[in-house]
Amino acid sequence: ETGVTQSPTHLIKTRGQQVTLRCSSQSGHNTVSWYQQALGQGPQFIFQYYREEENGRGNFPPRFSGLQFPNYSSELNVNALELDDSALYLCASSVDRNSPLHFGNGTRLTVT
Amino acid sequence: GQQVMQIPQYQHVQEGEDFTTYCNSSTTLSNIQWYKQRPGGHPVFLIQLVKSGEVKKQKRLTFQFGEAKKNSSLHITATQTTDVGTYFCAGYSNTGNQFYFGTGTSLTVIP
């Protein structure tokens, strides 16, 4: 059984740039969700995708967007990066919407 | 807006002492999940509670979901150094398609 994998591990971007983060879900999971975790805080829900459709969204601006592909892998895109976007971005997959989350190791994004 | 608060924010205990973290949501949750995150790691699922008033045990850990499905607790008996980490409660709000994590309780166990 393959777990959740995220790429890249670390990323440094400049304010105003755009970034794409990638996530491969665990085998057998059709739901993917993304979280932003600032240092010393709890994960903040960005959005969730179920069978390629957005199934819920947190309080994040439209410059945070995502996709889920037919193989249930997913991308998180962030446009017009701001300094406050610096955080650990976690992807989690689950069997369905209400099931336990299986997290990847995250992507550490630094915006300078 | 929706908030899920945990207390205490930090807890230092001597090894062998008990530990409890409390989770309170401003609105009803459809379920409650608990996660543990070690320093530098990612959250790892511990348990899920679904029913009002439900209590579940995992070895030294006892989890409870409140009758109103707005609060929960995690109790660890006789802590060990392997219990070190931050414990998060999390759950779906019944009022919308959002998943909320609590603010977390960071546990330090002093040998």
Side-chain angles (χ1 to χ4, degrees), chain B residues 22-65:
Chain B
Y22 299 92
C23 170
N24 293 285
S25 170
S26 57
T27 61
T28 304
L29 300 171
S30 60
N31 62 21
I32 195 86
Q33 298 171 3
W34 283 91
Y35 294 82
K36 177 183 177 181
Q37 186 173 23
R38 288 202 165 98
H42 58 270
V44 174
F45 173 74
L46 295 176
I47 207 160
Q48 175 170 284
L49 303 165
V50 179
K51 298 177 183 176
S52 169
E54 189 171 9
V55 177
K56 286 189 176 180
K57 292 189 176 185
Q58 279 183 354
K59 298 183 181 179
R60 295 179 294 104
L61 279 61
T62 301
F63 304 84
Q64 186 169 11
F65 199 11

Side-chain angles (χ1 to χ4, degrees), chain A residues 2 5 14 16-17 25 27-30 40-41 48 59-60 65-67 69 79-80 82 109:
Chain A
T2 307
T5 57
T14 304
Q17 286 188 315
S25 60
S27 175
H29 290 186
N30 58 25
Q41 297 185 19
Q48 180 187 76
N59 296 325
F60 281 82
S65 63
L67 281 174
F69 299 101
N79 294 322
E82 300 177 0
L109 173 65

Side-chain angles (χ1 to χ4, degrees), chain A residues 31 35 37 40-45 48 55-59 88 90 96-101 103-105, chain B residues 9-10 30-31 33 35 37 40-45 48 88 92-93 96-104:
Chain A
T31 303
Y35 300 83
Q37 187 174 27
Q41 297 185 19
Q44 299 294 310
F45 176 68
Q48 180 187 76
N55 188 48
R57 188 179 180 92
N59 296 325
L88 178 67
L90 293 162
D96 60 41
R97 192 197 117 167
N98 286 314
S99 295
L101 304 174
F103 284 88
N105 289 329
Chain B
Q9 186 177 0
Y10 302 97
S30 60
N31 62 21
Q33 298 171 3
Y35 294 82
Q37 186 173 23
H42 58 270
V44 174
F45 173 74
Q48 175 170 284
F88 292 100
Y92 278 102
S93 169
N97 290 343
Q98 290 204 35
F99 190 75
Y100 297 96
F101 271 82
T103 49

Side-chain angles (χ1 to χ4, degrees), chain A residues 22-49:
Chain A
R22 294 180 173 83
C23 171
S24 293
S25 60
Q26 185 167 318
S27 175
H29 290 186
N30 58 25
T31 303
V32 173
S33 49
W34 287 89
Y35 300 83
Q36 180 194 68
Q37 187 174 27
L39 203 60
Q41 297 185 19
Q44 299 294 310
F45 176 68
I46 302 176
F47 41 58
Q48 180 187 76
Y49 280 85

